[in-house]
Amino acid sequence: MAGANNKRKCFTCDRENNTYTCEGCSKRFCVIHIPEHHQRLNEELHHIVDDYNEFKERINEQKQYSQSYTVIEQIDQWEKVSIEKIKQKAKDSRKMIIGSLQTCINDIETKFNDLNKQIQQLQIQNDFNEINLNYLRNQLRKITEELKHPSNISIQEDPQSFISDISIILSKKPKLHKWKENGITVAGGNGRGQQLNQLNDPEGIYIDENKNIFIADYENHRIIEWKYNGKEGQIIAGGNDKGNRKDQLNEPTNIIVDQQNHSIMIADSNNRRVIQWLNQKQQILIHNIHCYGLAMDKNGFLYVSDWKKHEVRRWKMGEYNIEGIVVAGGNGEGDELNQLDYPTFIFVDEDQAVYISDSNNHRVIKWRKGAKEGAIVAGGNGQGRNLNQLSAPVGVIVDDFGQIYVTDCLNYRVMRWCEEKEEGEIIVGGNGEGNQSNQLNLPTGLCFDHEGNLYVVDWGNDRIQKFEIIV
């Protein structure tokens, strides 16, 4: 504060007197009130100091407890889960490599034992020539080379990931299995009807690890489970007459079974919905869709074929209330590579590529993830009976070797196609329309059990046929 000797009015008492100017507020105070003004300033300073000390304590508390922030906890959890995933991935990769190497060595040992038997047989018979010896040398050279390089294994990294992901690439040789020509009826086959030992135009099928059979019993508007070696089935969904109530079905075509959760997803085709039955409680997942085929990939995404819109859509688990993403077709009815015409059953492989029975185009078409068009992998040479043709395909499955199995409905046969091959081969049926054990009548769905036995939905004969694998 600065003093002044001239008399002026005091800001507080409003009397003329010797006053002093406050440099802060530029107001003048008499000798009585200047200490009072100074005391008020002191009080304000104390308040500021108190506020400062309080803020300082808060800063120290934040420093001390910053690790308890929710965001920090989330980062800690992410770190922990990521490390566990990396450890699990490494463990799975090691296990895969060891298993592959052991399988290769076992195969080599089998070949060696067979060769040894041939050598012993020649020694016993004492009847051999240069041709036999050259053959033995070549065979021994081959298995020696295989032993040096027992398995073609490499690691493929995914550079798109924040933490590089790896994949084990195993060189696989397809095993061209064969199945017995005559099938065994394992469900239905007692005439068309609605009794528990009968079926009526069955469509989709699922086989569990105990060889129990789950069937979409189309015209009976129900899902039926047929126990292994059972004489009749039991209704596990629908069966309450044709209708659109939640506890009713209307011409179901396909199913996805999750036994662990006692859940069944159903393509309820004539109700234009995908509905889930969970412990006998129903929930409509997708509305207003002309569904036919269902599939689920390893990440839990649900794929549904829409035969009227000629497309396949994908939904993320738990987000069925929003419109799905078109992953195949969606460009109107047609036979171009970016179109479909009445898609029926579908299959999704490990790479999320979708295989579609493009029924009215008489072909199976494969759409890779993110592709704008598909590639024909079976049929596509017009409707016909030749080995390079299909006629209204329905069911489709792809094995670990990329071999495609398809029910060639109007040709009454099941075919196997290998990608990039110009024609397929008949594996069962193909003996004309009929109800004999070596015949089929409009086959639709198909499935393998864990032993490799083939199950075919024989739609026209209202039965499920099992064709045993020939090892």
Side-chain angles (χ1 to χ4, degrees):
M1 295 183 184
N5 294 322
N6 55 330
K7 291 185 178 182
R8 293 186 185 178
K9 284 186 178 182
C10 172
F11 178 78
T12 303
C13 62
D14 203 30
R15 289 185 298 178
E16 284 193 1
N17 208 336
N18 288 330
T19 57
Y20 304 87
T21 303
C22 173
E23 291 182 355
C25 63
S26 300
K27 294 173 183 176
R28 302 179 71 86
F29 299 91
C30 67
V31 69
I32 297 174
H33 292 109
I34 190 67
E36 182 182 303
H37 180 62
H38 191 266
Q39 179 62 32
R40 189 178 299 113
L41 292 179
N42 276 330
E43 290 174 0
E44 290 182 11
L45 176 60
H46 286 312
H47 285 306
I48 292 172
V49 170
D50 289 342
D51 290 342
Y52 166 83
N53 290 331
E54 183 182 347
F55 186 74
K56 185 177 180 180
E57 288 180 9
R58 290 176 61 187
I59 288 178
N60 291 333
E61 286 177 0
Q62 296 288 9
K63 285 182 179 179
Q64 184 177 355
Y65 299 110
S66 60
Q67 289 299 320
S68 66
Y69 278 1
T70 303
V71 177
I72 298 296
E73 289 179 342
Q74 290 176 351
I75 293 172
D76 291 343
Q77 184 65 20
W78 169 81
E79 178 185 30
K80 181 180 177 181
V81 171
S82 298
I83 290 172
E84 288 302 317
K85 285 182 178 179
I86 292 170
K87 287 181 178 178
Q88 187 62 46
K89 185 75 173 184
K91 182 180 178 181
D92 293 343
S93 298
R94 292 189 196 100
K95 184 178 179 180
M96 185 182 296
I97 291 172
I98 292 169
S100 176
L101 288 172
Q102 190 60 54
T103 300
C104 290
I105 291 171
N106 290 342
D107 290 343
I108 292 169
E109 187 176 20
T110 300
K111 292 177 184 177
F112 175 76
N113 291 335
D114 290 341
L115 189 60
N116 186 41
K117 289 179 183 178
Q118 295 178 46
I119 293 172
Q120 291 177 354
Q121 189 68 29
L122 288 177
Q123 288 176 327
I124 293 170
Q125 294 176 349
N126 196 26
D127 181 17
F128 53 88
N129 54 35
E130 290 82 0
I131 296 174
N132 302 123
L133 296 178
N134 285 334
Y135 169 78
L136 293 174
R137 285 195 198 95
N138 288 333
Q139 291 300 109
L140 187 58
R141 189 181 298 115
K142 285 182 180 178
I143 61 175
T144 301
E145 192 62 29
E146 285 185 36
L147 189 60
K148 289 180 182 177
H149 309 284
S151 181
N152 186 11
I153 302 175
S154 61
I155 292 178
Q156 177 177 300
E157 292 192 28
D158 181 5
Q160 301 298 322
S161 301
F162 172 64
I163 299 173
S164 293
D165 192 12
I166 62 169
S167 300
I168 304 301
I169 310 300
L170 302 176
S171 178
K172 296 181 180 179
K173 294 181 180 179
K175 294 183 179 180
L176 299 177
H177 291 301
K178 294 186 180 297
W179 290 265
K180 291 182 179 179
E181 181 182 5
N182 295 314
I184 304 167
T185 301
V186 291
N190 298 302
R192 178 170 297 180
Q194 60 183 359
Q195 300 301 314
L196 290 178
N197 69 342
Q198 294 178 308
L199 299 171
N200 191 350
D201 292 348
E203 286 272 359
I205 187 176
Y206 173 86
I207 312 293
D208 71 11
E209 59 184 14
N210 296 316
K211 299 183 185 178
N212 301 318
I213 309 168
F214 297 79
I215 308 161
D217 196 7
Y218 183 82
E219 285 292 351
N220 280 329
H221 317 292
R222 66 190 184 185
I223 307 300
I224 194 164
E225 178 184 2
W226 210 289
K227 296 291 187 182
Y228 178 59
N229 285 337
K231 300 299 181 184
E232 62 181 28
Q234 62 181 27
I235 300 168
I236 58 173
N240 300 307
D241 296 325
K242 173 180 177 180
N244 60 7
R245 295 196 317 261
K246 280 189 176 182
D247 67 339
Q248 293 179 308
L249 298 173
N250 190 347
E251 299 180 348
T253 53
N254 204 201
I255 49 176
I256 295 174
V257 180
D258 184 348
Q259 287 184 286
Q260 189 172 8
N261 296 322
H262 305 286
S263 166
I264 309 167
M265 291 183 182
I266 306 166
D268 192 11
S269 65
N270 230 17
N271 280 326
R272 295 187 297 114
R273 66 189 184 187
V274 177
I275 189 169
Q276 181 183 42
W277 283 58
L278 180 61
N279 291 321
Q280 292 301 312
K281 294 182 179 179
Q282 304 85 32
Q283 178 186 3
I284 299 173
L285 302 180
I286 303 170
H287 296 264
N288 194 30
I289 183 169
H290 293 84
C291 49
Y292 198 109
L294 300 177
M296 186 168 285
D297 67 19
K298 63 182 181 181
N299 298 317
F301 286 93
L302 177 65
Y303 299 72
V304 186
S305 63
D306 188 324
W307 60 265
K308 192 165 187 179
K309 290 185 178 179
H310 312 286
E311 65 185 18
V312 177
R313 285 183 178 266
R314 183 185 72 197
W315 279 263
K316 187 176 181 180
M317 183 182 296
E319 296 184 359
Y320 303 117
N321 57 329
I322 62 175
E323 195 173 55
I325 298 170
V326 176
V327 294
N331 298 300
E333 174 185 348
D335 59 3
E336 299 296 326
L337 290 179
N338 68 340
Q339 294 179 306
L340 299 170
D341 188 354
Y342 204 94
T344 54
F345 285 177
I346 53 180
F347 180 90
V348 183
D349 69 13
E350 287 290 309
D351 299 319
Q352 294 181 304
V354 187
Y355 295 76
I356 306 145
S357 276
D358 193 11
S359 190
N360 284 352
N361 282 325
H362 313 291
R363 66 190 184 186
V364 175
I365 192 163
K366 174 183 179 181
W367 285 63
R368 297 187 183 277
K369 183 180 179 181
K372 299 300 182 184
E373 62 180 30
I376 298 169
V377 292
N381 298 300
Q383 183 176 11
R385 297 179 56 83
N386 296 325
L387 291 179
N388 69 339
Q389 294 178 306
L390 296 171
S391 184
V394 184
V396 60
I397 287 179
V398 183
D399 67 15
D400 293 338
F401 301 105
Q403 298 174 126
I404 302 151
Y405 299 82
V406 55
T407 51
D408 193 9
C409 185
L410 295 182
N411 284 327
Y412 316 108
R413 65 192 184 187
V414 177
M415 298 193 72
R416 173 169 58 199
W417 288 66
C418 298
E419 277 197 61
E420 300 178 358
K421 295 288 185 180
E422 294 184 358
E423 60 182 33
E425 61 177 318
I426 302 169
I427 58 171
V428 297
N431 299 305
E433 175 186 358
N435 61 6
Q436 300 302 308
S437 59
N438 68 341
Q439 292 180 307
L440 298 169
N441 184 3
L442 305 175
T444 53
L446 77 164
C447 192
F448 290 103
D449 65 22
H450 67 279
E451 294 177 352
N453 300 307
L454 174 63
Y455 297 74
V456 182
V457 179
D458 195 7
W459 186 87
N461 287 320
D462 302 295
R463 65 185 184 182
I464 310 299
Q465 292 292 93
K466 174 184 177 182
F467 295 87
E468 294 179 336
I469 190 170
I470 302 172
V471 179

